[in-house]
Amino acid sequence: QVQLAESGGGLVQAGGSLRLSCAASGRTSSIGDMNWYRQAPENQRELVARISSGGSTNYADSVKGRFTIFRDNAKKIVYLQMNSLKAEDTAVYYCNVDAFYSSVWKNYWGRGTQVTVSS
């Protein structure tokens, strides 16, 4: 199996910054897309940012210019640098990864880390 461990969440004032990390561990020979999703209370889970194994990135319109996703392939870690945080960024942030395990590609989720932005 592949496990994902997120860290870096917390409480920050509006305008501040946080960096989330997600480390993948387990017997996987290859990591594909690495993604960050978020879910606010009473909202659906939404894709925040995606980075491919080659480094191509995509962002939700609401975070473009403020968030940056990047990865360390050797360490199997994906980061989300969040700047100029707003109250509406408050949510549980989930790491999501495609990994090659047991001869197939599978999709894995982390348990989530809470980000709270006070206005």
Side-chain angles (χ1 to χ4, degrees), residues 25-90:
S25 61
R27 296 183 177 181
T28 176
S29 60
S30 185
I31 301 288
D33 287 354
M34 305 182 84
N35 313 300
W36 285 99
Y37 285 76
R38 68 185 180 187
Q39 187 168 18
E42 302 180 358
N43 286 2
Q44 289 187 336
R45 192 170 296 189
E46 63 173 352
L47 177 65
V48 176
R50 167 173 291 147
I51 185 166
S52 71
S53 57
S56 298
T57 58
N58 298 95
Y59 297 93
D61 287 344
S62 59
V63 307
K64 282 181 180 177
R66 300 188 298 122
F67 291 10
T68 302
I69 187 170
F70 56 103
R71 61 192 284 171
D72 183 328
N73 288 330
K75 296 182 179 178
K76 300 178 183 176
I77 299 175
V78 62
Y79 302 92
L80 185 68
Q81 177 66 41
M82 305 185 293
N83 298 329
S84 302
L85 282 160
K86 305 175 181 180
E88 50 264 44
D89 294 319
T90 296

